[in-house]
């Protein structure tokens, strides 16, 4: 978890331009809502650079993993979801597929709450309160990442989505 750095910003912006339009299409989000989600994910992963939590909060645990830094039972659920589909949990597409699957099922109330937000601050807060539920909140940092995500979505061309979409039935 970190503040946006110059190198991380470029990579993060590219990831947001790739993921944002997919989140808007696949989950029915506005650009502001997608940016609130991406900002939280960016904060959790250091701008999508860290698949594994760097310093797990629970000593001896495996820590958070993947796009949303899934921890404990949610990490186990991610791994089971991937195993059932023959996917590698380290594959970014598997993480994206699980993020969407989780938001459509066990975390559907969080998605419904996110869809009601109209400001970046509200979207960002809704994601950390209702979906991420982190041990370290750092609201200002999450909002900073969300602002960068929104700027990337509004300022840059969208990268084409990959052809395959894990998790689709």
């Amino acid at each position: 978890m970190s503040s946006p750095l110059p190198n991380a910003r470029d990579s993060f912006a590219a990831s947001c331009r790739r993921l944002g339009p997919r989140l808007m299409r696949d989950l029915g989000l506005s650009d502001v809502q997608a940016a609130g989600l991406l900002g939280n994910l960016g904060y959790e992963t250091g701008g999508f650079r860290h698949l594994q939590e760097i310093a797990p909060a629970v000593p001896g645990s495996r820590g958070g993993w993947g796009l949303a830094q899934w921890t404990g039972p949610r990490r186990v659920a991610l791994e089971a979801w991937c195993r059932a589909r023959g996917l590698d949990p380290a594959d970014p597409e598997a993480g994206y597929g699980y993020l969407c699957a989780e938001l459509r099922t066990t975390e559907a109330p969080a998605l419904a709450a996110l869809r009601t937000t109209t400001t970046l601050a509200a979207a960002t807060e809704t994601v950390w309160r209702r979906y991420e539920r982190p041990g370290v909140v750092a609201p200002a940092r999450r909002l900073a990442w969300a602002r960068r995500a929104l700027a990337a979505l509004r300022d840059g061309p969208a990268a084409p989505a990959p052809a395959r979409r894990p998790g689709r039935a």
Side-chain angles (χ1 to χ4, degrees), residues 1 6 12 16 28 30 45 57 64 66 76 81 84 87 99 109-110 121 127 141 146 152 167:
M1 296 177 224
F12 178 68
C16 289
S30 70
T45 61
V76 171
W81 185 90
L87 302 173
L99 174 77
V127 171
R141 289 184 180 165

Side-chain angles (χ1 to χ4, degrees), residues 14-24 38 48 67 96 153:
S15 294
C16 289
R17 286 191 295 273
R18 187 182 78 254
L19 293 171
R22 294 176 71 192
L23 290 169
M24 290 185 279
L38 290 166
F48 302 120
L67 193 57
Y96 179 82
L153 291 175

Side-chain angles (χ1 to χ4, degrees), residues 1-13 15-16 34-50 120 124 137-153:
M1 296 177 224
S2 61
S3 298
L5 302 171
N7 291 1
R9 270 187 271 180
D10 297 342
S11 174
F12 178 68
S15 294
C16 289
L37 178 55
L38 290 166
N40 274 277
L41 300 177
Y43 173 75
E44 291 288 334
T45 61
F48 302 120
R49 293 178 298 131
H50 304 293
L120 187 60
T124 303
V137 178
R141 289 184 180 165
R142 289 174 189 277
L143 186 55
W145 281 103
R147 285 185 182 120
R148 294 191 189 284
L150 186 58
L153 291 175

